[in-house]
C-alpha cells in the first residue's frame, strides 16, 4: 500500500535541522519546510564567530557520516570551516529549497491530528510531523553585573561577537573560563595591548595536538574514502572508550588517566607556582565540561596577559572593579559567560493534546523520553533534546542516531500504522528514574558547579555509556509509545 502523504516541519537549520531535512526527504517525504529564525543556516556555527572558535571534537567525527569531508584542514577544524562545510552539505543534499530563513516559529498547536505552526510574521501552516532541532547552547547567558550599562567601552557576549569593534592595541577583558573563553584567550592575547581573563572557577585543560592534515593526507582521504572511514571509526571508538565512557564512571581507570594528563599539562606548562595554584582546580577533571586547548597556558603567561581571580564587584565606566578594590581599566569587555541551557524549544509556545502546554510540563525543568518524545505531544520529535548526550560529544553523531530512531516512528505515520505517536507518561517517568539513579555514579556530581547540573543538582545528560545509547536508540520500543 502506498504511503499516505505527510507534511513535515523542521524547526531550526543548525546541524540537526539540516540532517532532519535530508533524512525526511530520503524517506520520500518531499513536503518539508525548515523554519530558521536566523538569516543563514549553521546554528551554533553561525552564531559563534569569536576569535579562535574551533570544534574540540575531531572534525571527522563532527561531520555527517554520509558526507565525509576530506578537505578538513586540521584534526580540530576552525568554526568557519565547519560553517562552510554545512553550507556545502545544504547545497549538495538539496536542503536549500526547503529553508525558510528569517522565519521564526512562535507557536505550535496540535489539534485534529495536525500541528499548526504560527510564525512571527503571522503565517499559519499545518503539518503532520514536527521535528524540533532548536539546539542546546543557544540563548546567551548575560549575568546582571552591576553597572554593566555604564561601561564606556564596548561590551558583547561571545556568541554575539561585534566584529566592528577594533581589538588591535586595545585593553580587552574576557569574563569566564569555559571552552569559549579558553579558545578566545589563545587567539586574542597576541592581538591586543593588554588582556585580562576574569576567572571565577579554574578549569582542567586537556592538551590538544592540532596539527594540520598534510596535502598528501587530504589527497589520500579524497582518493581512498575507505581510509577516511577507517579514521572516523577509529576516532569514534577511541573517543567513546577513552572519554564518553570515562565520565559516566567516576571510579574508572580512564578518568584517572584524563586527570593525570590534565595535571601533567598544567604542571608542565606553568612553572610559576603562584599562577599554577590559581589555575589548578580543586575538583575532578571532566566534572565540568572538559576544556581542550593546546595554547591556553602559553597564552595566559604572555607578558601582556593577566589572570584575574578576585571576584567581580561591579562594572563602572572605566572598567571592572574587583572585590580587592582594584579597577581593571578596559576598552572592551567580552562576556564569555555561557548559555541558558534549559531553554531548548522555548520561548516557542507549544500546545499538545487537550491544550497541554509545554511551558507547564517543563515548569520544573525539561524532560522527555529518551530525549526525543514527550507524552501528549504527538508526532513532535526532538533532536539533541533534554538529557541526552551533551558536552564533549559530537552532537552531529548524536543527532544522526536520534534521527534514525525518529524515522522508524515516522515510517509508522507514513504507512498509517500509527496516526499519532508519542511516548507514554509511564515510559518517560521510568526512564527519568533510571537516568537520575545512574547519574549518581558520574563524575559530574563529584563536587563542582557546571551547566550540566539542573536546578536540583542532577546532571541533565545521558549518564550511561555511549554503547548503551546506540543500543537503546537502535529500535524504538513500541511498548513505550502510545500510537
Ligand atoms: P560555560 O562553559 O558555561 O562557561 C561560562 C563561564 O562564565 C564560566 O567560567 C563561568 O564561571 C563564567 N561565569 C558565568 N557567570 C559568571 C558571573 N556572573 N561572574 C563570573 N563568571 C561567570 O560557557 P562557554 O565557555 O560558552 O561554553 C559552553 C559550552 O559550549 C561548552 O561547555 C561546550 O559544551 C560548548 N563549546 C564547545 C566548544 C567546542 O570546541 N566544541 C567551544 C566552545 C563552547 P563558573 O565556572 O564559575 O560558573
Amino acid at each position: 500500500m502506498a504511503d499516505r502523504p505527510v507534511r513535515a516541519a523542521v524547526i531550526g537549520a543548525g546541524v540537526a535541522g539540516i540532517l532532519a531535512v535530508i533524512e525526511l526527504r530520503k524517506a520520500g517525504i518531499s513536503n518539508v519546510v525548515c523554519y530558521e529564525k536566523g538569516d543563514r543556516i549553521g546554528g551554533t556555527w553561525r552564531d559563534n564567530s569569536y576569535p579562535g572558535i574551533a570544534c574540540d571534537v575531531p572534525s571527522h567525527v563532527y561531520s555527517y557520516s554520509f558526507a565525509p569531508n576530506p578537505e578538513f584542514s586540521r584534526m580540530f577544524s576552525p568554526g568557519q570551516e565547519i560553517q562552510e562545510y554545512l553550507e556545502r552539505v545544504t547545497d549538495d543534499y538539496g536542503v536549500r529549497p526547503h529553508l525558510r530563513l528569517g522565519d521564526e516559529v512562535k507557536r505550535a498547536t496540535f489539534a485534529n491530528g495536525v500541528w499548526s505552526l504560527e510564525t512571527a510574521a503571522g503565517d499559519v501552516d499545518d503539518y503532520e510531523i514536527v521535528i524540533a532541532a532548536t539546539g542546546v547552547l543557544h540563548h546567551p547567558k548575560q549575568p546582571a553585573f552591576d553597572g554593566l550599562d555604564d561601561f564606556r567601552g564596548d561590551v558583547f557576549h561571545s556568541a554575539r561577537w561585534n566584529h566592528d569593534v577594533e581589538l588591535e592595541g586595545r585593553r580587552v577583558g574576557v569574563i569566564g573560563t569555559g571552552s569559549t573563553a579558553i579558545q578566545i584567550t589563545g587567539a586574542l592575547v597576541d592581538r591586543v595591548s593588554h588582556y585580562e581573563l576574569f576567572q571565577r572557577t579554574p578549569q582542567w585543560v586537556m592538551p590538544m595536538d592540532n596539527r594540520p592534515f598534510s596535502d598528501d593526507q587530504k589527497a589520500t582521504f579524497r582518493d581512498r574514502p575507505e581510509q577516511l572511514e577507517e579514521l572516523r571509526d577509529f576516532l569514534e571508538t577511541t573517543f567513546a572508550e577513552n572519554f564518553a565512557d570515562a565520565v559516566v564512571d567516576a571510579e574508572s581507570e580512564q578518568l584517572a588517566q584524563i586527570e593525570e594528563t590534565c595535571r601533567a599539562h598544567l604542571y608542565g606548562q606553568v612553572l610559576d607556582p603562584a599562577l599554577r595554584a590559581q589555575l589548578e582546580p580543586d575538583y575532578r577533571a571532566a566534572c565540568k565540561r572538559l576544556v581542550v586547548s593546546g595554547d591556553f597556558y602559553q597564552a595566559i603567561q604572555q607578558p601582556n596577559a593577566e589572570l584575574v581571580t578576585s571576584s567581580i564587584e561591579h562594572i563602572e565606566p572605566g572598567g571592572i572593579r574587583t572585590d580587592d578594590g582594584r579597577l581593571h581599566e578596559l576598552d572592551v569587555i567580552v562576556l564569555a559567560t555561557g548559555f541558558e541551557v534549559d531553554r531548548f524549544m522555548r520561548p516557542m509556545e507549544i500546545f499538545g493534546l487537550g491544550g497541554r502546554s509545554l511551558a507547564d510540563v517543563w515548569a520544573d525543568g525539561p524532560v522527555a523520553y529518551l530525549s526525543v518524545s514527550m507524552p501528549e505531544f504527538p508526532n513532535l520529535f526532538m533532536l539533541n533534546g533534554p538529557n541526552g548526550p551533551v558536552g564533549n560529544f559530537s552532537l552531529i553523531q548524536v543527532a544522526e542516531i536520534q534521527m534514525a530512531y525518529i524515522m522508524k516512528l515516522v515510517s509508522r505515520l507514513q504507512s498509517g500504522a500509527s496516526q499519532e505517536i508519542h511516548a507514554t507518561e509511564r515510559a518517560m517517568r521510568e526512564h527519568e528514574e533510571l537516568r537520575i539513579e545512574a547519574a549518581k555514579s558520574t563524575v559530574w556530581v563529584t563536587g563542582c558547579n557546571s551547566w550540566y547540573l539542573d536546578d536540583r543538582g542532577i546532571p541533565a545528560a545521558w549518564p550511561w555509556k555511549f554503547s548503551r545509547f546506540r543500543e537503546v536508540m537502535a529500535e524504538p520500543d513500541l511498548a513505550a509509545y502510545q500510537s
Side-chain angles (χ1 to χ4, degrees):
M1 205 171 61
D3 282 349
R4 70 183 178 125
V6 291
R7 298 160 292 180
V10 175
I11 307 177
V15 294
I18 294 166
L19 167 75
V21 175
I22 294 170
E23 294 301 327
L24 287 162
R25 290 195 46 205
K26 223 187 264 174
I29 302 175
S30 53
N31 196 338
V32 181
V33 173
C34 180
Y35 295 86
E36 168 53 60
K37 67 178 158 55
D39 59 358
R40 280 190 306 150
I41 60 104
T44 204
W45 302 104
R46 176 201 59 217
D47 288 348
N48 286 276
S49 59
Y50 57 79
I53 183 167
C55 187
D56 59 17
V57 175
S59 303
H60 290 299
V61 180
Y62 195 86
S63 45
Y64 300 107
S65 58
F66 53 82
N69 178 21
E71 312 305 331
F72 277 128
S73 64
R74 293 172 177 272
M75 185 63 94
F76 304 92
S77 296
Q80 182 61 30
E81 251 182 65
I82 299 169
Q83 176 69 22
E84 285 162 12
Y85 165 77
L86 295 173
E87 296 278 1
R88 218 162 44 240
V89 171
T90 301
D91 286 328
D92 293 352
Y93 287 80
V95 175
R96 201 75 67 189
H98 297 271
L99 294 174
R100 278 213 208 154
L101 299 175
D103 213 355
E104 180 177 3
V105 177
K106 297 295 263 188
R107 190 170 299 114
T109 310
F110 188 79
N112 303 321
V114 292
W115 282 99
S116 290
L117 265 51
E118 192 180 328
T119 67
D123 294 331
V124 180
D125 287 304
D126 291 344
Y127 302 92
E128 279 73 30
I129 295 163
V130 175
I131 311 276
T134 46
V136 188
L137 303 165
H138 181 206
H139 300 281
K141 188 168 88 185
Q142 305 227 14
F145 292 111
D146 276 350
L148 184 62
D149 292 342
D150 302 331
F151 182 57
R152 239 190 340 253
D154 296 293
V155 53
F156 46 84
H157 190 274
S158 55
R160 299 288 181 271
W161 197 271
N162 184 346
H163 291 277
D164 294 335
V165 172
E166 189 66 49
L167 299 170
E168 273 69 16
R170 303 186 77 198
R171 299 164 301 178
V172 178
V174 174
I175 301 177
T177 48
S179 302
T180 300
I182 299 299
Q183 288 183 341
I184 293 173
T185 302
L188 219 52
V189 164
D190 290 343
R191 286 175 55 189
V192 303
S193 68
H194 185 65
Y195 183 86
E196 297 193 31
L197 183 66
F198 292 81
Q199 168 185 288
R200 185 165 69 179
T201 314
Q203 288 273 12
W204 287 112
V205 181
M206 187 81 175
M208 165 204 269
D209 181 8
N210 195 14
R211 264 172 292 187
F213 289 116
S214 67
D215 288 344
D216 282 352
Q217 277 174 306
K218 285 190 269 184
T220 308
F221 293 154
R222 222 174 288 132
D223 300 340
R224 302 185 55 196
E226 70 280 3
Q227 288 226 352
L228 191 50
E229 211 171 307
E230 268 172 33
L231 174 64
R232 184 186 172 98
D233 288 348
F234 168 77
L235 291 170
E236 271 183 20
T237 311
T238 328
F239 188 68
E241 284 171 3
N242 294 340
F243 183 78
D245 293 356
V247 295
V248 295
D249 179 2
E251 303 310 320
S252 65
E253 177 55 31
Q254 297 101 309
L255 190 61
Q257 267 176 24
I258 291 173
E259 295 187 312
E260 195 38 51
T261 307
C262 291
R263 184 168 283 104
H265 186 208
L266 172 64
Y267 278 66
Q269 298 267 313
V270 182
L271 301 182
D272 170 7
L275 180 63
R276 190 198 289 159
Q278 288 179 310
L279 287 168
E280 183 162 1
D282 62 0
Y283 56 87
R284 298 192 60 184
C287 181
K288 280 173 176 288
R289 198 269 191 189
L290 194 61
V291 169
V292 185
S293 171
D295 60 10
F296 171 66
Y297 288 137
Q298 290 308 315
I300 200 64
Q301 293 178 90
Q302 293 306 303
N304 65 330
E306 186 183 345
L307 180 75
V308 180
T309 55
S310 311
S311 303
I312 296 171
E313 172 68 37
H314 64 259
I315 297 179
E316 49 192 68
I320 296 178
R321 179 82 64 178
T322 44
D323 66 355
D324 54 2
R326 183 174 154 202
L327 175 66
H328 300 257
E329 291 182 83
L330 297 166
D331 303 309
V332 180
I333 296 176
V334 177
L335 305 170
T337 43
F339 299 86
E340 306 286 353
V341 295
D342 66 346
R343 301 289 85 200
F344 293 96
M345 291 110 87
R346 295 173 289 182
M348 246 189 306
E349 294 174 16
I350 303 184
F351 300 99
L353 286 173
R356 192 176 216 217
S357 144
L358 184 79
D360 293 342
V361 175
W362 282 5
D364 294 330
V367 58
Y369 172 64
L370 292 178
S371 305
V372 298
S373 173
M374 288 173 301
E376 313 295 311
F377 291 84
N379 308 351
L380 167 66
F381 306 106
M382 290 173 286
L383 292 173
N384 291 321
N387 310 322
V390 286
N392 296 75
F393 287 100
S394 162
L395 287 195
I396 296 188
Q397 190 187 10
V398 170
E400 278 197 27
I401 293 169
Q402 290 172 331
M403 193 62 196
Y405 174 100
I406 290 168
M407 287 312 297
K408 293 186 173 142
L409 299 174
V410 165
S411 77
R412 294 183 61 81
L413 298 170
Q414 281 179 284
S415 70
S418 302
Q419 298 294 324
E420 297 179 4
I421 191 157
H422 50 115
T424 64
E425 187 74 36
R426 181 175 168 179
M428 187 177 78
R429 291 291 149 212
E430 284 178 0
H431 170 67
E432 267 302 274
E433 278 167 27
L434 292 172
R435 193 185 69 75
I436 289 168
E437 188 55 34
K440 292 178 183 162
S441 315
T442 66
V443 71
W444 307 314
V445 293
T446 54
C448 70
N449 191 16
S450 81
W451 66 259
Y452 290 161
L453 303 179
D454 67 16
D455 292 346
R456 304 162 295 176
I458 298 170
W462 180 261
W464 297 285
K465 291 186 172 180
F466 202 67
S467 54
R468 173 156 170 170
F469 179 66
R470 282 188 187 284
E471 274 160 36
V472 172
M473 301 306 287
E475 196 63 49
D477 170 10
L478 291 178
Y481 285 90
Q482 205 155 311
S483 65

